[in-house]
Amino acid sequence: MILVHTTKYTDGVFDLFAIGDITYDIFLTLNEARVRRVPHQHKAYLEIEYKDKVPVNTFATDVGGSATNTAVGVSRLGFHVGLYAVHGDDAAGMFVRKKLRAEHVDDRMVEEEKGGQTNTSVILVHESERTILPYYVPRTYKLSELPKARWMYLTTGGK
């Protein structure tokens, strides 16, 4: 059984308001990689051929970041969710803004930095595990006032 919250945003209060980074995620599935395990160190290493073209099996893009992922997930459950984050005015920024709206996340407090870049991560997927290569843009958050919300979700933000 799935329970869905059905109250509408009529009292001016978010069910959840999330604060943190937003990221443009690029997922690449690698078939021609190897995993080298070092048991005595409890580590494993993803190995690809150095100075070679490594074929990618699948390619996908999405939004990411802990606050964004939480906001999207809670919105999909039917709750009214808002987000505060900052992205650049680049193509990645336009993508994440469009995705937030498609997921019914209130983006009125999401800021667009003119001339700025959007955080971007390349996620290498191999054998159902992932290795993340993140690029974080240094940010100074300037949220002047917290909105009314039943729950707040605060996670990492800025570098």
Side-chain angles (χ1 to χ4, degrees):
M1 179 199 300
I2 297 175
L3 299 176
V4 178
H5 182 63
T6 57
T7 61
K8 299 294 180 194
Y9 181 64
T10 56
D11 59 359
V13 178
F14 289 105
D15 292 309
L16 173 81
F17 191 78
I19 301 169
D21 279 337
I22 191 167
T23 306
Y24 176 69
D25 286 346
I26 303 167
F27 294 87
L28 306 174
T29 303
L30 306 174
N31 284 339
E32 294 189 20
R34 292 173 302 281
V35 176
R36 181 173 51 90
R37 300 186 192 287
V38 184
H40 65 280
Q41 293 180 3
H42 303 288
K43 292 187 178 190
Y45 296 90
L46 180 66
E47 294 181 340
I48 55 177
E49 190 72 33
Y50 181 63
K51 292 175 40 173
D52 199 3
K53 287 186 179 181
V54 179
V56 172
N57 190 43
T58 62
F59 170 89
T61 57
D62 208 342
V63 294
S66 182
T68 307
N69 290 341
T70 299
V72 167
V74 172
S75 176
R76 287 178 180 175
L77 293 172
F79 292 93
H80 188 257
V81 179
L83 174 67
Y84 174 77
V86 181
H87 64 77
D89 65 353
D90 53 1
M94 288 184 280
F95 175 89
V96 297
R97 182 66 69 125
K98 184 177 178 180
K99 181 72 173 184
L100 288 175
R101 290 177 180 160
E103 293 287 355
H104 307 289
V105 172
D106 189 314
D107 68 343
R108 288 178 289 169
M109 297 185 82
V110 174
E111 294 181 17
E112 180 179 277
E113 183 181 275
K114 299 296 177 204
Q117 293 180 306
T118 301
N119 295 337
T120 301
S121 291
V122 175
I123 297 106
L124 304 175
V125 181
H126 181 68
E127 295 180 355
S128 47
E129 289 293 340
R130 90 279 189 273
T131 300
I132 302 173
L133 309 174
Y135 170 72
Y136 295 108
V137 177
R139 302 247 189 252
T140 302
Y141 285 125
K142 302 172 208 140
L143 182 60
S144 58
E145 187 176 324
L146 289 174
K148 292 180 181 178
R150 290 177 178 82
W151 291 92
M152 291 285 195
Y153 182 83
L154 177 62
T155 185
T156 58
K159 185 174 180 183

